[in-house]
Coordinates of all heavy atoms in Angstrom, one line a residue:
G325 N -28.2 -27.3 -13.1 CA -27.8 -26.4 -12.1 C -28.8 -25.4 -11.9 O -29.9 -25.5 -12.3
L326 N -28.4 -24.3 -11.2 CA -29.2 -23.2 -10.8 C -28.9 -22.0 -11.7 O -27.7 -21.7 -11.8 CB -29.1 -22.8 -9.4 CG -29.8 -21.6 -8.9 CD1 -31.3 -21.8 -9.0 CD2 -29.4 -21.3 -7.4
V327 N -29.9 -21.4 -12.3 CA -29.6 -20.3 -13.2 C -30.8 -19.3 -13.1 O -31.9 -19.6 -12.8 CB -29.5 -20.8 -14.7 CG1 -30.9 -21.4 -15.2 CG2 -29.1 -19.6 -15.6
Q328 N -30.4 -18.0 -13.3 CA -31.4 -16.9 -13.2 C -32.3 -16.9 -14.5 O -31.8 -17.3 -15.6 CB -30.7 -15.6 -13.1 CG -31.6 -14.4 -12.8 CD -30.9 -13.1 -12.6 OE1 -29.7 -13.1 -12.5 NE2 -31.6 -12.0 -12.6
A329 N -33.5 -16.5 -14.4 CA -34.4 -16.4 -15.5 C -33.7 -15.6 -16.6 O -33.1 -14.5 -16.4 CB -35.7 -15.8 -15.1
G330 N -33.8 -16.1 -17.9 CA -33.2 -15.4 -19.0 C -31.8 -16.0 -19.3 O -31.2 -15.7 -20.4
G331 N -31.3 -16.8 -18.4 CA -29.9 -17.3 -18.6 C -30.0 -18.6 -19.4 O -31.0 -19.0 -20.0
S332 N -28.8 -19.2 -19.5 CA -28.6 -20.4 -20.4 C -27.9 -21.5 -19.6 O -27.1 -21.3 -18.7 CB -27.8 -20.0 -21.6 OG -28.5 -19.1 -22.4
L333 N -28.2 -22.8 -20.1 CA -27.5 -23.9 -19.6 C -27.4 -24.9 -20.8 O -28.2 -24.9 -21.7 CB -28.3 -24.7 -18.5 CG -28.2 -24.0 -17.1 CD1 -29.2 -24.8 -16.2 CD2 -26.8 -24.0 -16.5
R334 N -26.4 -25.7 -20.8 CA -26.2 -26.8 -21.8 C -26.1 -28.1 -21.1 O -25.2 -28.4 -20.3 CB -25.0 -26.6 -22.7 CG -25.0 -27.5 -23.9 CD -23.8 -27.3 -24.8 NE -22.6 -27.9 -24.2 CZ -21.5 -28.1 -24.9 NH1 -21.5 -27.8 -26.2 NH2 -20.4 -28.5 -24.3
L335 N -27.1 -29.0 -21.4 CA -27.0 -30.4 -20.9 C -26.3 -31.3 -21.8 O -26.4 -31.1 -23.0 CB -28.5 -30.9 -20.6 CG -29.4 -30.0 -19.7 CD1 -30.7 -30.7 -19.5 CD2 -28.7 -29.7 -18.4
S336 N -25.7 -32.3 -21.3 CA -25.0 -33.3 -22.1 C -25.4 -34.7 -21.7 O -25.7 -34.9 -20.5 CB -23.5 -33.2 -22.0 OG -23.0 -31.9 -22.4
C337 N -25.4 -35.6 -22.6 CA -25.8 -37.0 -22.3 C -24.8 -37.9 -23.2 O -24.7 -37.7 -24.4 CB -27.2 -37.2 -22.7 SG -27.7 -39.0 -22.5
A338 N -24.1 -38.8 -22.5 CA -23.2 -39.7 -23.1 C -23.6 -41.1 -22.9 O -23.4 -41.7 -21.8 CB -21.8 -39.4 -22.6
P339 N -24.2 -41.7 -23.9 CA -24.6 -43.1 -23.7 C -23.5 -44.1 -23.9 O -22.6 -43.8 -24.8 CB -25.7 -43.3 -24.8 CG -25.3 -42.4 -25.9 CD -24.7 -41.2 -25.2
S340 N -23.5 -45.2 -23.2 CA -22.5 -46.2 -23.4 C -22.9 -47.2 -24.4 O -23.3 -48.3 -24.2 CB -22.3 -47.0 -22.0 OG -23.5 -47.6 -21.6
V341 N -22.8 -46.8 -25.7 CA -23.2 -47.6 -26.8 C -22.0 -47.7 -27.8 O -21.0 -47.0 -27.7 CB -24.4 -47.0 -27.6 CG1 -25.6 -46.9 -26.6 CG2 -24.1 -45.6 -28.1
G342 N -22.2 -48.5 -28.8 CA -21.1 -48.7 -29.8 C -21.2 -47.6 -30.9 O -20.5 -46.6 -30.8
T343 N -22.1 -47.9 -31.9 CA -22.3 -46.9 -33.0 C -23.4 -46.0 -32.6 O -24.6 -46.3 -32.7 CB -22.6 -47.6 -34.3 OG1 -21.6 -48.6 -34.6 CG2 -22.7 -46.6 -35.4
F344 N -23.0 -44.8 -32.2 CA -24.0 -43.8 -31.6 C -25.0 -43.4 -32.7 O -26.2 -43.1 -32.4 CB -23.3 -42.6 -31.0 CG -24.2 -41.6 -30.4 CD1 -24.9 -41.9 -29.3 CD2 -24.2 -40.3 -31.0 CE1 -25.8 -40.9 -28.8 CE2 -25.0 -39.3 -30.4 CZ -25.8 -39.6 -29.3
S345 N -24.6 -43.3 -34.0 CA -25.4 -42.9 -35.0 C -26.7 -43.8 -35.2 O -27.6 -43.3 -35.9 CB -24.6 -42.8 -36.3 OG -24.1 -44.0 -36.7
G346 N -26.7 -45.0 -34.7 CA -27.8 -45.9 -34.9 C -28.9 -45.7 -33.8 O -29.9 -46.4 -33.8
W347 N -28.7 -44.7 -33.0 CA -29.7 -44.4 -31.9 C -30.4 -43.1 -32.1 O -29.8 -42.1 -32.4 CB -28.9 -44.4 -30.6 CG -28.3 -45.7 -30.2 CD1 -27.2 -46.3 -30.7 CD2 -28.9 -46.7 -29.2 NE1 -27.0 -47.5 -30.1 CE2 -28.0 -47.8 -29.2 CE3 -30.0 -46.7 -28.4 CZ2 -28.2 -48.9 -28.4 CZ3 -30.2 -47.8 -27.6 CH2 -29.3 -48.9 -27.6
V348 N -31.7 -43.2 -31.8 CA -32.5 -41.9 -31.7 C -32.3 -41.4 -30.2 O -32.4 -42.2 -29.3 CB -34.0 -42.2 -31.9 CG1 -34.8 -41.0 -31.7 CG2 -34.2 -42.6 -33.4
M349 N -32.1 -40.2 -30.1 CA -31.9 -39.6 -28.8 C -33.0 -38.5 -28.5 O -33.5 -37.9 -29.4 CB -30.6 -38.9 -28.7 CG -29.4 -39.8 -29.0 SD -29.3 -41.2 -27.8 CE -29.0 -40.3 -26.2
G350 N -33.4 -38.4 -27.2 CA -34.4 -37.5 -26.8 C -34.2 -36.9 -25.5 O -33.4 -37.5 -24.7
W351 N -34.8 -35.8 -25.2 CA -34.8 -35.2 -23.9 C -36.3 -35.1 -23.4 O -37.2 -34.6 -24.1 CB -34.2 -33.8 -23.9 CG -32.7 -33.8 -24.1 CD1 -32.0 -33.7 -25.2 CD2 -31.7 -34.0 -23.0 NE1 -30.6 -33.8 -25.0 CE2 -30.4 -34.0 -23.6 CE3 -31.8 -34.2 -21.7 CZ2 -29.2 -34.1 -22.9 CZ3 -30.6 -34.3 -20.9 CH2 -29.4 -34.3 -21.6
F352 N -36.5 -35.4 -22.1 CA -37.7 -35.2 -21.4 C -37.5 -34.5 -20.1 O -36.3 -34.4 -19.7 CB -38.4 -36.6 -21.1 CG -38.9 -37.3 -22.3 CD1 -38.0 -37.9 -23.2 CD2 -40.3 -37.4 -22.6 CE1 -38.5 -38.6 -24.3 CE2 -40.7 -38.1 -23.7 CZ -39.8 -38.7 -24.6
R353 N -38.5 -34.0 -19.5 CA -38.4 -33.3 -18.2 C -39.6 -33.6 -17.4 O -40.7 -33.9 -17.9 CB -38.2 -31.8 -18.4 CG -39.4 -31.0 -19.0 CD -39.1 -29.6 -19.2 NE -40.2 -28.8 -19.7 CZ -40.1 -27.6 -20.0 NH1 -39.0 -26.9 -20.0 NH2 -41.2 -26.9 -20.4
Q354 N -39.4 -33.5 -16.1 CA -40.5 -33.7 -15.1 C -40.4 -32.6 -14.0 O -39.4 -32.6 -13.3 CB -40.4 -35.1 -14.5 CG -41.6 -35.4 -13.6 CD -41.6 -36.9 -13.3 OE1 -40.6 -37.6 -13.4 NE2 -42.8 -37.4 -12.9
A355 N -41.4 -31.8 -14.0 CA -41.4 -30.7 -13.0 C -42.1 -31.3 -11.7 O -42.8 -32.3 -11.8 CB -42.2 -29.5 -13.5
P356 N -41.9 -30.7 -10.5 CA -42.5 -31.2 -9.3 C -44.0 -31.3 -9.4 O -44.7 -30.3 -9.8 CB -42.1 -30.1 -8.3 CG -40.8 -29.5 -8.8 CD -41.0 -29.5 -10.3
G357 N -44.5 -32.4 -9.1 CA -46.0 -32.6 -9.1 C -46.5 -32.8 -10.5 O -47.8 -32.9 -10.7

């Protein structure tokens, strides 16, 4: 979403898997350009 500088957000990710503990999870980002 949109937030002011200094603010906070929490992202969530729910994979459609069986045993979740068997998976490595990561976050990446891509800025414009």
Side-chain angles (χ1 to χ4, degrees):
L326 176 64
V327 65
Q328 187 177 351
S332 299
L333 286 173
R334 189 179 75 164
L335 307 183
S336 300
C337 176
S340 60
V341 299
T343 304
F344 181 65
S345 60
W347 294 78
V348 174
M349 302 298 299
W351 287 96
F352 291 75
R353 68 185 182 184
Q354 187 169 20

